Structure formats: structure tokens, C-alpha cells
Amino acid sequence: MPEARIEIEREDGVVDAFVAYPDTPGDNPPVILLGDGRGRGRGLETEARRLSAHRFFVVVPDLKGLGAEVRREAAVACLDHLADLHGVDDTRVGVAGFGLCADAALSLAAWRSERIAAVAAYGPSRFGVRGALEIANRINGVVRIGYTVGITRSRAGVLEAALGCAGVPFDVEVGGGAPDWGALVDLFHRTLWPPAAAGRGPDGQGRAGLNP
């Protein structure tokens, strides 16, 4: 699958990014992967290639060493960048955040809810009750939350309760550290592809299951 390294303009500069995309014709749904370069945020370029094999256009901005506000700004810049690309259908976007970028992914899904159809956040939420409710009441997509076995977190259940109160469909994944990438690919297939195309695999043929 084709790939490239690009620069994306943001409000106060640029952010370097890695992109991987299918070489099949037509408009493909985009996915943004947000990682801070530590822990579960490592290796996202490899996973971007895996997602591109399932006909997603994947953007991975380099957010190492950036503060929370700059990470959010860079995520918005990546989303805006998609609107100008040929071969991308940016009306239904997926986003996944890892570690310190988990909340950035949720914030992007909330404040750009008209375009984000699915968001996955792998890491403890730092939202308090008010922040969680504000996020939940704005999100207009499907949410997946991931936690690591044995890691105690503060504000446990706050985000989940807020999503439930707001009627947002969500599920929770608890694992050994690495995300269940097969489940994530399935989430993006179900939510980002139009219904007529959701049952087709990377080759455009019938899709009985995924084996990423």
C-alpha cells in the first residue's frame, strides 16, 4: 500500500505526519491515529499500514513532546486536511487515541461531531463529571474505550456513566496493554463505510470476517 510523510499546517506552525492509503480506486473513509510516542502510542505506523489494507486512508501525526492543547490543535488540523484530499470521503471519519492522546480523540469527536462517526480511546480518561457530560452530549458516533488490566485509575466510570446518560452507543475493552486491532478494524468497517459497502473486503468482494 502507498505511504508518505507529509507536513500538515496547524494554527501556529506545522505537524509532521505519516499517511498510509489503499491503491484501490474510489473515495475511501479516513482514520486518524493519535499517539504520544509512548506505551500503546508506539508502532502506529505499522497499524496504519494494516488499516490501509482494509481500504482506509490513515493519518498518523507526530505528537511526541507536545502539550495537551497543541495535541488537540494538531488533531483538528489533521481533520481539516482531509477535506482537501482526492480519493478521501471525509464525511464519516474514524479517530483513535492512545495514552495521553485518548482524551484528545474524544474531544475531537465531540467538537467535530458532524464528521466523526467512530472514536476509540485507549487510556484512562482525565475528564471530570462536567467535562465528561459535555463530551458525551456532543458526540454523534460510536465510542470504544480501552483499559489495561491491573491499572487502577481515578474517576473510574465517570466517562462511561456520562455516555450512558447521553444515549451514546459505546463498549469497553479491557486487555493486556495492546488494543484489539481486529475489533478496532471491525468498528471502523461498521461505522465508516456506507451500508452497501460495509460488507465488502479490501478486494471489493464479500466479507465474511476480518483477519487483520
Side-chain angles (χ1 to χ4, degrees):
M1 297 294 172
E3 59 185 62
R5 298 187 184 279
I6 63 173
E7 288 186 343
I8 296 175
E9 293 186 7
R10 58 182 181 84
E11 187 175 336
D12 295 318
V14 298
V15 59
D16 295 326
F18 173 83
V19 295
Y21 48 95
D23 52 8
T24 53
D27 291 340
N28 299 288
V31 172
I32 302 172
L33 302 181
L34 305 175
D36 56 14
R38 299 182 293 179
R40 285 177 291 185
R42 293 174 179 164
L44 291 188
E45 291 184 6
T46 298
E47 302 307 336
R49 297 183 182 101
R50 177 183 297 187
L51 282 166
S52 72
H54 290 277
R55 297 179 63 197
F56 296 104
F57 186 101
V58 190
V59 181
V60 186
D62 183 1
L63 305 180
K64 294 189 299 293
L66 302 182
E69 187 60 37
V70 180
R71 290 196 297 269
R72 285 191 290 269
E73 180 189 316
V76 171
C78 289
L79 184 63
D80 291 342
H81 177 74
L82 294 171
D84 300 324
L85 297 181
H86 175 71
V88 174
D89 178 6
D90 73 322
T91 59
R92 300 176 67 83
V93 181
V95 59
F98 305 84
L100 294 176
C101 292
D103 284 357
L106 291 164
S107 295
L108 184 66
W111 295 102
R112 293 298 182 91
S113 59
E114 75 283 358
R115 293 169 65 194
I116 305 296
V119 55
Y122 296 91
S125 169
R126 292 165 176 79
F127 295 118
V129 173
R130 180 176 297 179
L133 285 170
E134 184 176 23
I135 290 291
N137 283 317
R138 288 181 173 274
I139 285 179
N140 187 32
V142 179
V143 178
R144 183 173 183 83
I145 306 170
Y147 299 111
T148 301
V149 172
I151 294 182
T152 303
R153 60 191 180 93
S154 60
R155 298 172 176 171
V158 170
L159 178 60
E160 291 89 331
L163 293 171
C165 289
V168 177
F170 74 95
D171 63 9
V172 176
E173 171 190 328
V174 180
D180 183 341
W181 284 97
L184 186 59
V185 170
D186 187 64
L187 170 67
F188 289 148
H189 262 288
R190 288 186 286 109
T191 56
L192 305 186
W193 280 103
R200 297 202 297 267
D203 58 358
Q205 303 300 314
R207 172 173 161 270
L210 290 171
N211 185 26

